[in-house]
Amino acid sequence: MKKPKWVIDKERGARAEANQTHWLFGLHAVRDALENTARQKLRLVVTRNAQAKLTKAIEMSGITPEIADPRKFPVPLDPGSVHQGAALETRPLEWGPLEEVCLGGSGEHPLVVLLDRVTDPHNVGAILRSAEVFGAAAVIAPSRHSAPESGALAKTASGALERQPYLRVGNLAEAMGRLKDMGFVLIGLDAEGELGLAQAVGQGAGRPVGLVLGAEGPGLRARTKETCDHLARIDAARGFGSLNVSNAAAVSLHAAMMRG
C-alpha cells in the first residue's frame, strides 16, 4: 500500500532535521559542548590561542581540531559573531520523549516552560539559562516558528543548552494536551490575565506546572490561550511598563519554584 503524501513529507522532514548541523562559537559554548558526551561533534576549528585555553575539553572530546589563522577564520558565521577563535560544527541534541523528559526535573513536582513562537535566539538562550537555574525539567517550543539551536542561542544560554532540555515539538497545543494528561497545570502569561501570577501559581500547588509564554508583541495565540488552565498577569508596581519574554520567564520560574 502506497504511503499518503503527508506521511512521506513528514518522514522527509524528519530525515532532513536529523541531518541538520549548526556552528557553536565562543570559548564557553564550545568548551561546554566538547565536554558533553551526548553532543555529536563534527568539526572543530580553533586558533592556537583558543586551542591552549580549551586543551582539557579537546582531549576529553577526542576530536582533532583544525588550527586556523585568526585573520582568516574559515567558518560560516555571521560577521558580528564573537567567536573568540573557537567554533564547533555539531548536530542538535536529542533529549528523548516529552513524557520522560518532563517528569525528570528536580523536586517532587516538575516545572516546564513552553514557548509560543518565540523566535529570538537571545531570548530563548536567556530562558534556557533561567530554566536551568530554577530547576525546570524542560523548555518546549514548536519545531516551526521558534528559535532553533544555534551559535547565538548557545552563547546567550552560557552553557545551559548542554544541560537544559530544549524540546522541539510538531504541535505546541498537542504537546500541552499531553502535559495536561500527565497532571500538569498550564499557566499562560498574558497582560490581561484574570489572575495575578502568585494566585495562578498557587493553583498549581502540589502539582507539576507548565508556564506558557508568547512572543513579544503578538503574545499567546488564541488556541494556546484556550489550552491553558489559567491566564496570569505579572503586575507592575506602576501603571505602565512591561517585561520582555526572557525576564517574564525568569520572574515566573522563580514564583513557580516557590510554590507549595
Side-chain angles (χ1 to χ4, degrees), residues 22-25 29 121-122 147-156 161 166:
H22 58 270
W23 286 92
L24 304 180
F25 58 85
H122 300 95
E149 276 197 26
S150 67
L153 188 153
K155 204 165 193 304
T156 308
L161 180 61
Y166 182 39

Side-chain angles (χ1 to χ4, degrees), residues 11-27:
E11 290 176 347
R12 284 176 178 168
R15 287 194 296 271
E17 186 173 350
N19 291 324
Q20 285 180 351
T21 69
H22 58 270
W23 286 92
L24 304 180
F25 58 85
L27 291 172

Side-chain angles (χ1 to χ4, degrees), residues 95-119:
W95 291 100
L98 178 145
E99 284 78 5
E100 292 181 13
V101 175
C102 291
L103 290 177
S106 61
E108 184 179 354
H109 307 298
L111 172 64
V112 300
V113 177
L114 299 103
L115 303 178
D116 188 10
R117 298 196 172 194
V118 178
T119 58

Side-chain angles (χ1 to χ4, degrees), residues 74-182:
V75 174
L77 300 176
D78 292 334
S81 300
V82 183
H83 55 72
Q84 298 174 296
L88 176 68
E89 187 179 15
T90 183
R91 298 194 193 280
L93 286 164
E94 291 289 340
W95 291 100
L98 178 145
E99 284 78 5
E100 292 181 13
V101 175
C102 291
L103 290 177
S106 61
E108 184 179 354
H109 307 298
L111 172 64
V112 300
V113 177
L114 299 103
L115 303 178
D116 188 10
R117 298 196 172 194
V118 178
T119 58
D120 185 332
H122 300 95
N123 275 330
V124 175
I127 290 168
L128 284 167
R129 191 172 182 179
S130 294
E132 182 185 16
V133 168
F134 293 114
V139 174
I140 303 165
S143 298
R144 299 178 61 191
H145 307 295
S146 66
E149 276 197 26
S150 67
L153 188 153
K155 204 165 193 304
T156 308
S158 192
L161 180 61
E162 305 302 321
R163 298 181 288 273
Q164 177 64 45
Y166 182 39
L167 305 183
R168 311 286 297 290
V169 296
N171 184 291
L172 187 65
E174 187 269 341
M176 292 170 70
R178 288 158 65 187
L179 288 172
K180 291 173 82 168
D181 290 342
M182 294 161 60

Side-chain angles (χ1 to χ4, degrees), residues 232-244:
R233 64 187 184 276
I234 298 176
D235 292 320
R238 297 178 176 83
F240 63 94
S242 62
L243 298 172
N244 72 14

Side-chain angles (χ1 to χ4, degrees), residues 23-76:
W23 286 92
L24 304 180
F25 58 85
L27 291 172
H28 194 167
V30 169
R31 178 184 289 109
D32 285 332
L34 288 172
E35 293 176 349
N36 184 357
T37 56
R39 172 71 75 178
Q40 188 175 358
K41 310 161 189 73
L42 304 176
R43 183 183 171 200
L44 174 64
V45 180
V46 291
T47 62
R48 290 288 183 192
N49 186 46
Q51 181 188 29
K53 295 177 180 178
L54 296 171
T55 299
K56 290 184 179 179
I58 294 172
E59 291 175 353
M60 181 184 298
S61 72
I63 192 170
T64 301
E66 301 173 27
I67 308 303
D69 184 332
R71 296 166 296 181
K72 299 178 181 179
F73 201 65
V75 174

